[in-house]
Amino acid sequence: MAADTNQGDAQHAWDLMKKITFAMLATRDGEKLRSRPMAAYIRPEEGAIYFLTDVRRHKDDEIAQDHHVNLGFADASAQKYVSVSGYGAISNDRAKIKELFGTAAKAWWDSPDDPNIRILKVTPEEAEYWDSPGTLVSYVKMAVAAATGSRPDLGENRKVAI
């Protein structure tokens, strides 16, 4: 039963990531952590999260030095969040670039044939999600908890291997 629950929780994490679509990608630059927003291409069937990145930026170098990454997905208006720990790898897979290239990518590159585009593949190891019923409901539950001296139930929080 625990394996079924973990699989359901893992699928829920994937589903939340698909709904949110943008992530803050954190990498290590020496002793510093750096984060930047990126459009995510969520592929649970491949066990991967893909990003299109530009070889002229520093992400590639940072990931080459330390492949550990963290992704932070957030939809604050809906009170839904996912944090993913995993491993990043950069590739020049032109077929995958063409597969993923779409409207969001056109803001940065003219075509999928741009020689500066690379694929960043993140292989998740673990995810933690927070899925609340929404801002208004959460505020009401917090107000009731404050008035009664209890703790509010603000939705689901799970840590899962994915």
Side-chain angles (χ1 to χ4, degrees):
M1 181 69 173
D4 290 341
T5 301
N6 185 63
Q7 189 174 29
D9 290 341
Q11 184 60 51
H12 191 66
W14 285 109
D15 292 344
L16 287 171
M17 288 185 272
K18 277 185 170 182
K19 287 179 188 171
I20 297 170
T21 70
F22 280 87
M24 292 295 291
L25 166 68
T27 57
R28 187 172 296 280
D29 182 11
E31 293 296 312
K32 298 176 185 168
L33 292 174
R34 298 201 185 277
S35 295
R36 75 283 284 161
M38 298 187 69
Y41 302 86
I42 312 302
R43 299 292 192 270
E45 66 280 3
E46 297 175 38
I49 302 161
Y50 294 98
F51 300 91
L52 294 178
T53 186
D54 196 299
V55 73
R56 297 168 292 188
R57 304 296 182 254
H58 300 288
K59 292 177 288 302
D60 300 10
D61 298 330
E62 293 166 4
I63 290 168
Q65 293 296 314
D66 184 345
H67 65 275
H68 295 91
V69 299
N70 184 268
L71 306 174
F73 293 83
D75 181 351
S77 64
Q79 298 287 300
K80 297 180 186 314
Y81 308 91
V82 183
S83 176
V84 177
S85 300
Y87 304 98
I90 302 292
S91 80
N92 193 16
D93 180 341
R94 303 315 291 180
K96 187 57 105 172
I97 290 168
K98 287 179 180 175
E99 174 192 326
L100 298 177
F101 196 88
T103 304
K106 289 177 185 175
W108 304 104
W109 303 281
D110 291 332
S111 82
D113 298 319
D114 187 312
N116 295 305
I117 303 173
R118 296 293 184 273
I119 292 287
L120 165 57
K121 177 183 179 182
V122 173
T123 303
E125 182 178 49
E126 183 177 79
E128 185 168 5
Y129 68 82
W130 297 262
D131 188 1
S132 296
T135 305
L136 182 60
V137 172
S138 294
Y139 284 149
V140 169
K141 287 183 174 190
M142 285 188 285
V144 169
T148 62
S150 63
R151 296 235 180 232
D153 175 9
L154 298 179
E156 294 181 57
N157 171 232
R158 301 280 189 283
K159 191 179 289 188
V160 295
I162 59 173

